[in-house]
Amino acid sequence: MATVNVYLTFNGECREAFEFYKSVFGGEFPYMGTFGEMPPQEGKELSQEDKDKIMHVTLPISKETVLMGSDTGGEWASNLKIGNNFSVSINADSKDEADKLFNGLSHGGQVTMPLADTFWGAYFGMLTDKFGINWMVNYDDPSKMQQHP
């Protein structure tokens, strides 16, 4: 069965916020990566400021719960407001489960990123459901996962 966690979105304050959360909850970041570490995308040049922003960070809170987050930028930044700056993140156990959950949740809503294979090895998509709730659906295919230091 899928696991559910909260995914927080910031406009440049992600690193500072997660250092604060780490000071409160303890633990270590298994992964913290910047947009500058992403593979280059044709036709998209990032400013130095955007390269330094956090693309993804993970902080385990307990055995079952992980707090995740990222910064936003570009055309996404103007849509970020307090109240819509989080998503419910579902980690599915299979690609079929990811498809089922994504298709069900997106019915009557708006797909903001269709489910697709990603450069980091996951099958991932984002949507806003018909009630205005942001969702991320992810399946980590063990055969495609990158190893992070």
PDB file of all heavy atoms in Angstrom, residues 18-30:
ATOM      1  N   PHE A  18      14.568  23.837   6.169  1.00  0.00           N
ATOM      2  CA  PHE A  18      14.902  22.456   6.508  1.00  0.00           C
ATOM      3  C   PHE A  18      16.033  22.360   7.527  1.00  0.00           C
ATOM      4  O   PHE A  18      16.058  21.427   8.329  1.00  0.00           O
ATOM      5  CB  PHE A  18      15.152  21.616   5.249  1.00  0.00           C
ATOM      6  CG  PHE A  18      13.880  20.973   4.764  1.00  0.00           C
ATOM      7  CD1 PHE A  18      12.952  21.711   4.068  1.00  0.00           C
ATOM      8  CD2 PHE A  18      13.597  19.648   5.061  1.00  0.00           C
ATOM      9  CE1 PHE A  18      11.758  21.153   3.650  1.00  0.00           C
ATOM     10  CE2 PHE A  18      12.413  19.072   4.655  1.00  0.00           C
ATOM     11  CZ  PHE A  18      11.481  19.817   3.946  1.00  0.00           C
ATOM     12  N   GLU A  19      16.940  23.320   7.538  1.00  0.00           N
ATOM     13  CA  GLU A  19      17.939  23.357   8.615  1.00  0.00           C
ATOM     14  C   GLU A  19      17.235  23.600   9.952  1.00  0.00           C
ATOM     15  O   GLU A  19      17.588  23.003  10.970  1.00  0.00           O
ATOM     16  CB  GLU A  19      18.998  24.434   8.352  1.00  0.00           C
ATOM     17  CG  GLU A  19      19.921  24.128   7.186  1.00  0.00           C
ATOM     18  CD  GLU A  19      20.873  22.958   7.416  1.00  0.00           C
ATOM     19  OE1 GLU A  19      21.042  22.507   8.571  1.00  0.00           O
ATOM     20  OE2 GLU A  19      21.453  22.487   6.422  1.00  0.00           O
ATOM     21  N   PHE A  20      16.215  24.462   9.938  1.00  0.00           N
ATOM     22  CA  PHE A  20      15.423  24.700  11.143  1.00  0.00           C
ATOM     23  C   PHE A  20      14.694  23.420  11.565  1.00  0.00           C
ATOM     24  O   PHE A  20      14.745  23.031  12.738  1.00  0.00           O
ATOM     25  CB  PHE A  20      14.427  25.836  10.898  1.00  0.00           C
ATOM     26  CG  PHE A  20      13.423  26.006  11.999  1.00  0.00           C
ATOM     27  CD1 PHE A  20      13.785  26.542  13.221  1.00  0.00           C
ATOM     28  CD2 PHE A  20      12.106  25.616  11.814  1.00  0.00           C
ATOM     29  CE1 PHE A  20      12.857  26.686  14.249  1.00  0.00           C
ATOM     30  CE2 PHE A  20      11.171  25.757  12.831  1.00  0.00           C
ATOM     31  CZ  PHE A  20      11.548  26.298  14.056  1.00  0.00           C
ATOM     32  N   TYR A  21      14.008  22.755  10.623  1.00  0.00           N
ATOM     33  CA  TYR A  21      13.277  21.525  10.954  1.00  0.00           C
ATOM     34  C   TYR A  21      14.228  20.445  11.476  1.00  0.00           C
ATOM     35  O   TYR A  21      13.905  19.723  12.404  1.00  0.00           O
ATOM     36  CB  TYR A  21      12.493  21.002   9.748  1.00  0.00           C
ATOM     37  CG  TYR A  21      11.477  21.986   9.213  1.00  0.00           C
ATOM     38  CD1 TYR A  21      11.235  22.089   7.855  1.00  0.00           C
ATOM     39  CD2 TYR A  21      10.758  22.833  10.065  1.00  0.00           C
ATOM     40  CE1 TYR A  21      10.314  22.999   7.363  1.00  0.00           C
ATOM     41  CE2 TYR A  21       9.847  23.748   9.581  1.00  0.00           C
ATOM     42  CZ  TYR A  21       9.619  23.831   8.224  1.00  0.00           C
ATOM     43  OH  TYR A  21       8.712  24.727   7.731  1.00  0.00           O
ATOM     44  N   LYS A  22      15.416  20.384  10.891  1.00  0.00           N
ATOM     45  CA  LYS A  22      16.424  19.419  11.358  1.00  0.00           C
ATOM     46  C   LYS A  22      16.814  19.730  12.803  1.00  0.00           C
ATOM     47  O   LYS A  22      17.005  18.820  13.614  1.00  0.00           O
ATOM     48  CB  LYS A  22      17.640  19.466  10.432  1.00  0.00           C
ATOM     49  CG  LYS A  22      18.744  18.508  10.804  1.00  0.00           C
ATOM     50  CD  LYS A  22      19.879  18.638   9.795  1.00  0.00           C
ATOM     51  CE  LYS A  22      21.123  17.946  10.280  1.00  0.00           C
ATOM     52  NZ  LYS A  22      22.243  18.155   9.375  1.00  0.00           N
ATOM     53  N   SER A  23      16.919  21.025  13.149  1.00  0.00           N
ATOM     54  CA  SER A  23      17.277  21.393  14.524  1.00  0.00           C
ATOM     55  C   SER A  23      16.173  21.015  15.509  1.00  0.00           C
ATOM     56  O   SER A  23      16.443  20.749  16.672  1.00  0.00           O
ATOM     57  CB  SER A  23      17.591  22.899  14.628  1.00  0.00           C
ATOM     58  OG  SER A  23      16.407  23.679  14.617  1.00  0.00           O
ATOM     59  N   VAL A  24      14.937  20.974  15.028  1.00  0.00           N
ATOM     60  CA  VAL A  24      13.814  20.618  15.889  1.00  0.00           C
ATOM     61  C   VAL A  24      13.653  19.102  15.984  1.00  0.00           C
ATOM     62  O   VAL A  24      13.550  18.540  17.072  1.00  0.00           O
ATOM     63  CB  VAL A  24      12.506  21.254  15.368  1.00  0.00           C
ATOM     64  CG1 VAL A  24      11.299  20.731  16.137  1.00  0.00           C
ATOM     65  CG2 VAL A  24      12.583  22.773  15.431  1.00  0.00           C
ATOM     66  N   PHE A  25      13.630  18.413  14.823  1.00  0.00           N
ATOM     67  CA  PHE A  25      13.350  16.979  14.786  1.00  0.00           C
ATOM     68  C   PHE A  25      14.594  16.110  14.939  1.00  0.00           C
ATOM     69  O   PHE A  25      14.499  14.944  15.285  1.00  0.00           O
ATOM     70  CB  PHE A  25      12.664  16.601  13.461  1.00  0.00           C
ATOM     71  CG  PHE A  25      11.287  17.175  13.321  1.00  0.00           C
ATOM     72  CD1 PHE A  25      11.049  18.205  12.420  1.00  0.00           C
ATOM     73  CD2 PHE A  25      10.227  16.676  14.069  1.00  0.00           C
ATOM     74  CE1 PHE A  25       9.775  18.735  12.274  1.00  0.00           C
ATOM     75  CE2 PHE A  25       8.949  17.203  13.925  1.00  0.00           C
ATOM     76  CZ  PHE A  25       8.725  18.233  13.035  1.00  0.00           C
ATOM     77  N   GLY A  26      15.773  16.673  14.645  1.00  0.00           N
ATOM     78  CA  GLY A  26      16.996  15.880  14.646  1.00  0.00           C
ATOM     79  C   GLY A  26      17.131  15.123  13.344  1.00  0.00           C
ATOM     80  O   GLY A  26      16.407  15.356  12.384  1.00  0.00           O
ATOM     81  N   GLY A  27      18.090  14.207  13.300  1.00  0.00           N
ATOM     82  CA  GLY A  27      18.301  13.392  12.108  1.00  0.00           C
ATOM     83  C   GLY A  27      19.232  14.044  11.111  1.00  0.00           C
ATOM     84  O   GLY A  27      19.852  15.075  11.376  1.00  0.00           O
ATOM     85  N   GLU A  28      19.328  13.400   9.962  1.00  0.00           N
ATOM     86  CA  GLU A  28      20.199  13.858   8.878  1.00  0.00           C
ATOM     87  C   GLU A  28      19.409  13.863   7.578  1.00  0.00           C
ATOM     88  O   GLU A  28      18.406  13.168   7.449  1.00  0.00           O
ATOM     89  CB  GLU A  28      21.409  12.929   8.737  1.00  0.00           C
ATOM     90  CG  GLU A  28      22.336  12.930   9.936  1.00  0.00           C
ATOM     91  CD  GLU A  28      22.972  14.292  10.209  1.00  0.00           C
ATOM     92  OE1 GLU A  28      23.292  15.014   9.239  1.00  0.00           O
ATOM     93  OE2 GLU A  28      23.145  14.630  11.395  1.00  0.00           O
ATOM     94  N   PHE A  29      19.886  14.626   6.605  1.00  0.00           N
ATOM     95  CA  PHE A  29      19.279  14.650   5.279  1.00  0.00           C
ATOM     96  C   PHE A  29      19.868  13.513   4.450  1.00  0.00           C
ATOM     97  O   PHE A  29      21.053  13.575   4.108  1.00  0.00           O
ATOM     98  CB  PHE A  29      19.562  15.963   4.549  1.00  0.00           C
ATOM     99  CG  PHE A  29      19.107  17.204   5.280  1.00  0.00           C
ATOM    100  CD1 PHE A  29      20.008  18.192   5.607  1.00  0.00           C
ATOM    101  CD2 PHE A  29      17.770  17.369   5.624  1.00  0.00           C
ATOM    102  CE1 PHE A  29      19.593  19.342   6.265  1.00  0.00           C
ATOM    103  CE2 PHE A  29      17.350  18.514   6.288  1.00  0.00           C
ATOM    104  CZ  PHE A  29      18.254  19.504   6.612  1.00  0.00           C
ATOM    105  N   PRO A  30      19.085  12.492   4.097  1.00  0.00           N
ATOM    106  CA  PRO A  30      19.615  11.466   3.193  1.00  0.00           C
ATOM    107  C   PRO A  30      19.937  12.058   1.824  1.00  0.00           C
ATOM    108  O   PRO A  30      20.816  11.584   1.123  1.00  0.00           O
ATOM    109  CB  PRO A  30      18.496  10.439   3.076  1.00  0.00           C
ATOM    110  CG  PRO A  30      17.518  10.755   4.142  1.00  0.00           C
ATOM    111  CD  PRO A  30      17.747  12.176   4.556  1.00  0.00           C
TER     112      PRO A  30
END
